[in-house]
Amino acid sequence: MAEEKISLKAVKLALLGDSAVGKTALCHALLNLDFSEDALASIGIDRLETKYPLKNGKEIKLILWDTAGQERFRSMAKQTLRAVQGIVVVFDVTAKRTFENVNLWLEDIKECIDNPCLVLFGNKADMPNEKWKVTKEEAEQYAKKMNLQYFETSAKTKKGLNEGFSYIVNESYNKLGGGDDGIKIDEDEWEIVNGCFGKKKRRKKKTVKK
C-alpha cells in the first residue's frame, strides 16, 4: 500500500494583549516591514501572511491574526481563537497593567480553545532599564507558574523575535501532526479528479452499506 507524505500548508497564530503593547509592530518586524514609533492602534483584526521556515527544513505558510486590544473588540478576538493553532500573548515590560492583564487574556483563551499552544512575549525590551515595570525574574516566575515559555522581545531591535516565533510556530505545527516527517496519508484513500483549475487530489467518498 503506497504512502505519500503530506506537509501541513499553513499555521495560524493569533496575537493577543492589551492595546499598545506592540502586537502590530511585532508582526511587521517578523515580515521585515518598517518599524514605526507612532503606529496607530489596530481596529478589529488584521490578517498578515508570510512564508516561514521550520526547524525540520520545510517551509510553511504562516498566517498572523493581529487582534485589537481594546475592550470593545474583545469578543471579536475571542472568535478568532477558534480558528488558530497557536497564540502569542503580549505585554509591555514598561506598563505593569498590561502584565497584570495577561491573566484576563488567558481566561479568554480557556473559554475558546482547549489546551492551545501558547507563548508569552514581554515586548519593548529595548527600552532603558529605568523604564521597566516588569522584571525578567518576575515575568519568568509567572510564566513558569502558568506553564508558559517566556521571551523578551523588541519589535524595534528584533530581540527575541526569531526565537519566540520559531518556538510557537514549530510547537503549533507539531501539535497539528506535522512532526519532522509530515502527515502520512494512505494513498488508497485519495483519487484524482478534474477541478476548476485542472486536476486535483481529494479523499475518496466512502460508500455506506445498507
Side-chain angles (χ1 to χ4, degrees):
M1 201 177 286
E3 288 184 338
E4 180 181 355
K5 295 178 182 178
I6 307 294
S7 297
L8 297 175
K9 294 183 178 180
V11 167
K12 302 182 186 73
L13 299 182
L15 280 79
L16 298 183
D18 287 6
S19 182
V21 296
K23 300 184 297 294
T24 299
L26 286 168
C27 290
H28 288 182
L30 188 67
L31 274 61
N32 293 315
L33 301 177
D34 291 338
F35 174 82
S36 173
E37 297 275 8
D38 303 315
L40 297 175
S42 296
I43 298 176
I45 298 172
D46 290 331
R47 182 184 187 276
L48 299 97
E49 184 178 308
T50 187
K51 292 181 179 179
Y52 196 89
L54 297 173
K55 290 180 180 178
N56 61 16
K58 296 177 182 178
E59 189 177 66
I60 59 157
K61 179 192 293 183
L62 176 60
I63 298 171
L64 301 170
W65 293 101
D66 175 20
T67 67
Q70 297 97 325
E71 182 66 31
R72 66 183 185 275
F73 296 119
R74 204 167 192 130
S75 61
M76 190 184 300
K78 289 168 70 173
Q79 291 176 9
T80 304
L81 298 181
R82 298 183 175 91
V84 303
Q85 290 81 48
I87 302 168
V88 181
V89 181
V90 186
F91 71 92
D92 176 354
V93 297
T94 69
K96 185 79 168 185
R97 183 68 175 173
T98 67
F99 177 64
E100 295 171 344
N101 285 342
V102 168
N103 274 327
L104 298 179
W105 291 106
L106 293 180
E107 289 175 6
D108 283 353
I109 292 167
K110 288 179 182 179
E111 290 179 12
C112 301
I113 184 171
D114 294 326
N115 194 28
C117 290
L118 282 170
V119 68
L120 181 64
F121 283 8
N123 196 38
K124 304 188 183 180
D126 58 281
M127 298 297 285
N129 291 337
E130 61 269 18
K131 290 190 176 183
W132 285 46
K133 304 300 181 183
V134 183
T135 65
K136 181 177 182 177
E137 292 73 22
E138 185 178 5
E140 287 180 339
Q141 287 177 7
Y142 174 81
K144 184 177 181 180
K145 175 184 174 183
M146 304 304 291
N147 196 28
L148 299 172
Q149 289 290 324
Y150 173 64
F151 296 88
E152 287 183 348
T153 60
S154 167
K156 186 175 184 179
T157 66
K158 297 190 177 181
K159 174 184 177 181
L161 194 74
N162 291 332
E163 295 85 350
F165 275 108
S166 178
Y167 170 81
I168 189 62
V169 171
N170 281 277
E171 285 291 308
S172 301
Y173 179 82
N174 291 334
K175 186 173 181 180
L176 279 171
D180 290 337
D181 295 322
I183 302 173
K184 293 184 177 179
I185 302 294
D186 188 345
E187 188 67 19
D188 289 346
E189 295 181 2
W190 295 77
E191 61 183 350
I192 303 298
V193 297
N194 291 319
C196 297
F197 302 100
K199 293 184 180 298
K200 65 179 182 179
K201 184 182 286 188
R202 74 178 181 190
R203 285 186 183 275
K204 293 179 180 177
K205 296 180 179 179
K206 294 183 179 180
T207 57
V208 179
K209 295 182 179 180
K210 297 183 179 180

